[in-house]
Amino acid sequence: PEKLIIIGGGLAGSEAAWQAARRGVKVELWEMRPGKMTPAHRTGYLAELVCSNSLRADTLENAAGLLKAEMRRARSLIMAVAEECRVPAGKALAVDREEFAARVTAALEAEDRITIIREEARAIPVQGPVIIATGPLTSPALAESLKGFTGAEYLYFYDAAAPIVTAESLNYKRIFKASRYGRGEEDYLNCPLNEEEYRRFYEALITAERHPRHEFEPEVVFEGCMPVEVMGRRGPDTLRFGPMRPVGLIDPATGKEPYAVVQLRRDNLAGTLYNLVGFQTSLKWGEQERVFRLIPGLEEAEFVRFGVMHRNTYINSPTVLKPTLQLKEHPQVFLAGQLTGVEGYIESAASGLVAGINAARLIKGQEPLTLPPATAHGALLQYITDPTHDPLQPMHINFGLLPPLERRVKGREVRNRALAERALQIWSSLGEFSGN
Ligand code: FAD
């Protein structure tokens, strides 16, 4: 029988290897660490968490919680180990980072069908079957090889990004539409801050916890993409002359220019997502939620992507990838993890789970599956591969990606729970994905 090659032993590759091996498939898992490190990893463990030790929310009112519930039903290794190394974190699932990565590594090493090769893969094996899961910090040689498969124009890199929130989570009692000096269409949403609100926000921003600086972050940042908290530290008014300047914006509620403004720009054609203009940041993800919710109008904002100041490598999935995670032009090549444009530890592991199961199916002569869009896995993979989302922006799981309920339900929490219940009901009929 054919063996499956998996390149990259991170969150996605580890889960994929486990799922395929559980289905009787022989796996060769290539991981370049510790011989060759990435700029963010610190150890030789598989599934190392490069930053936060939180795998985010774990209740069904939250889409990240739903994704976890589906993974547990599919007997996910990442979820099982996370449970064993859980540390107290309220409604979130946080883990002991060392213990977590060490145990995932041990579980994969103990599995007879998995051979771990500690070497950099510099080219994608043409014959396949192969899963590429080399993550946001894919080694340059492999990125070159990947270009050959996808077309150079479809492999993206960016080094900084601002957070994105959902339109439906905004508080429109505080926000007004306007463009500066009334010029152009009223394309922007504006969140006005009075002096007191500004001071409170400013204090929180400059004292919030940042990601430890990695050596690949340039010492001198270009003015145009300086983290907002770094700019803030230059002085209490710097931001009011920078991304938060209010000039030319009249708040209809007061008839005056506010003391400061945060502008939101549409991020997709459908108008369901907005980014915070000029707010690229390296604050820790939990801190971003806490600090940016101090901005009037964003009190309950739902973040579909957090700001980052590090490299992210990903492909334009809407053009090249199927929702089964196979390349359209090379069905024996699967992609998984952050490389596909999903964002986050859990999303990466979830896509690895699907790639592992689907690659095993292909090897056994079965059709790889497209998951129903009303499940969290299905919605996420549908989103990243949908041609209308070209060019792709990396995406967290969120309830906005699922098709709406057939009936109207009032209240966000109640609605989310109903969406989660519907998803889990569908999930239970998905054969091997549901653990049957
Ligand atoms: P990874 O987990 O990075 O795994 C890829 C693996 O492939 C690595 O082990 C790497 O060594 C290996 N590799 C690369 N090239 C090759 C090659 N050619 N041959 C062999 N092996 C190779 N997400 C969160 O949810 N919370 C956070 O707080 C968070 N912080 C982040 C901070 C940083 C600095 C970065 C870069 C990302 C962060 N992310 C965070 C985003 C994302 O969730 C993680 O990067 C996640 O680990 C992605 O999973 P993955 O499996 O796609 O990639």
Side-chain angles (χ1 to χ4, degrees):
E2 266 180 306
K3 79 175 170 210
L4 172 65
I5 295 177
I6 300 179
I7 309 179
L11 273 302
S14 297
E15 183 68 48
W18 178 257
Q19 293 293 343
R22 291 271 115 167
R23 285 163 175 75
V25 171
K26 278 211 151 74
V27 175
E28 209 170 79
L29 176 59
W30 288 63
E31 170 52 58
M32 66 180 186
R33 291 178 291 116
K36 181 165 180 177
M37 298 298 280
T38 79
H41 289 83
R42 292 282 172 268
T43 74
Y45 289 134
L46 304 174
E48 177 180 335
L49 302 173
V50 286
C51 185
S52 161
N53 67 331
S54 167
L55 308 183
R56 313 213 308 281
D58 199 18
T59 61
L60 287 181
E61 287 77 38
N62 190 295
L66 172 60
L67 195 61
K68 292 186 186 69
E70 294 176 359
M71 291 174 75
R72 287 190 180 105
R73 283 161 205 220
R75 311 207 171 151
S76 151
L77 173 68
I78 294 296
M79 290 315 303
V81 174
E83 210 57 63
E84 289 168 20
C85 322
R86 196 172 188 136
V87 297
K91 288 184 179 171
L93 172 58
V95 298
D96 178 315
R97 169 202 316 281
E98 271 292 301
E99 200 57 35
F100 171 77
R103 288 193 192 204
V104 171
T105 309
L108 294 173
E109 282 171 350
E111 173 63 57
D112 286 342
R113 297 194 188 91
I114 300 175
T115 311
I116 302 170
I117 299 179
R118 295 285 188 165
E119 243 178 87
E120 179 189 9
R122 299 178 58 88
I124 296 166
V126 193
Q127 276 82 12
V130 57
I131 299 176
I132 307 164
T134 45
L137 306 163
T138 292
S139 77
L142 197 84
E144 274 309 308
S145 171
L146 191 54
K147 279 184 193 168
F149 276 78
T150 61
E153 66 276 34
Y154 298 129
L155 189 69
Y156 299 151
F157 304 94
Y158 68 74
D159 290 307
I164 296 179
V165 294
T166 60
E168 68 154 18
S169 68
L170 302 175
N171 170 10
Y172 294 95
K173 290 196 184 103
R174 292 301 306 270
I175 292 175
F176 64 97
K177 265 190 178 178
S179 59
R180 224 174 275 280
Y181 300 113
R183 281 191 213 124
E185 300 293 319
E186 296 191 337
D187 287 338
Y188 288 88
L189 298 181
N190 301 281
C191 307
L193 293 88
N194 62 30
E195 186 167 354
E196 191 194 323
E197 287 162 339
Y198 178 81
R199 295 278 165 235
R200 184 154 17 104
F201 169 74
Y202 177 76
E203 269 311 307
L205 179 72
I206 60 163
T207 54
E209 226 185 314
R210 301 185 67 199
H211 282 305
R213 214 178 65 80
H214 294 293
E215 52 274 28
F216 59 101
E217 270 183 52
E219 189 64 53
V220 189
V221 255
F222 293 117
E223 287 295 311
C225 69
M226 181 181 289
V228 64
E229 66 279 7
V230 173
M231 189 182 288
R233 283 178 193 175
R234 292 183 162 184
D237 287 320
T238 311
L239 291 173
R240 296 207 308 120
F241 294 95
M244 296 182 73
R245 71 192 178 284
V247 294
L249 291 168
I250 305 297
D251 182 354
T254 60
K256 288 192 296 202
E257 274 177 12
Y259 189 73
V261 164
V262 173
Q263 288 203 297
L264 307 178
R265 184 194 291 132
R266 261 166 90 132
D267 202 76
N268 60 352
L269 277 174
T272 56
L273 300 174
Y274 280 83
N275 65 60
L276 279 64
V277 181
F279 271 59
Q280 58 277 5
T281 171
S282 49
L283 294 188
K284 290 196 165 172
W285 291 11
E287 290 287 82
Q288 293 189 31
E289 211 161 54
R290 179 178 70 81
V291 174
F292 298 150
R293 280 183 177 166
L294 294 173
I295 297 168
L298 302 190
E299 298 87 351
E300 295 191 23
E302 180 185 18
F303 289 80
V304 296
R305 191 185 77 196
F306 290 109
V308 292
M309 291 302 297
H310 61 70
R311 161 138 305 191
N312 192 11
T313 309
Y314 66 100
I315 60 147
N316 194 37
S317 293
T319 349
V320 302
L321 201 64
K322 297 202 263 188
T324 55
L325 295 174
Q326 294 166 283
L327 285 180
K328 286 181 186 163
E329 303 287 324
H330 305 273
Q332 77 285 13
V333 179
F334 291 78
L335 299 194
Q338 193 116 343
L339 208 49
T340 64
V342 303
E343 170 102 356
Y345 299 145
I346 272 302
E347 288 85 344
S348 295
S351 73
L353 184 145
V354 175
I357 295 179
N358 273 345
R361 291 181 67 88
L362 186 74
I363 288 171
K364 295 200 266 179
Q366 299 164 336
E367 203 55 38
L369 296 174
T370 296
L371 296 174
T375 63
H377 282 76
L380 185 63
L381 300 185
Q382 166 80 40
Y383 182 88
I384 58 164
T385 53
D386 184 335
T388 64
H389 301 143
D390 177 2
L392 182 67
Q393 280 285 359
M395 186 54 64
H396 271 315
I397 186 63
N398 66 88
F399 279 117
L401 306 184
L402 277 67
L405 295 166
E406 293 75 31
R407 62 204 152 88
R408 264 185 77 84
V409 175
K410 270 202 153 168
R412 189 134 65 108
E413 278 208 359
V414 188
R415 192 166 63 234
N416 289 352
R417 197 160 245 287
L419 284 165
E421 278 161 13
R422 182 182 69 179
L424 289 177
Q425 179 131 33
I426 297 172
W427 193 263
S428 65
S429 67
L430 290 179
E432 58 178 320
F433 280 89
S434 63
N436 296 326

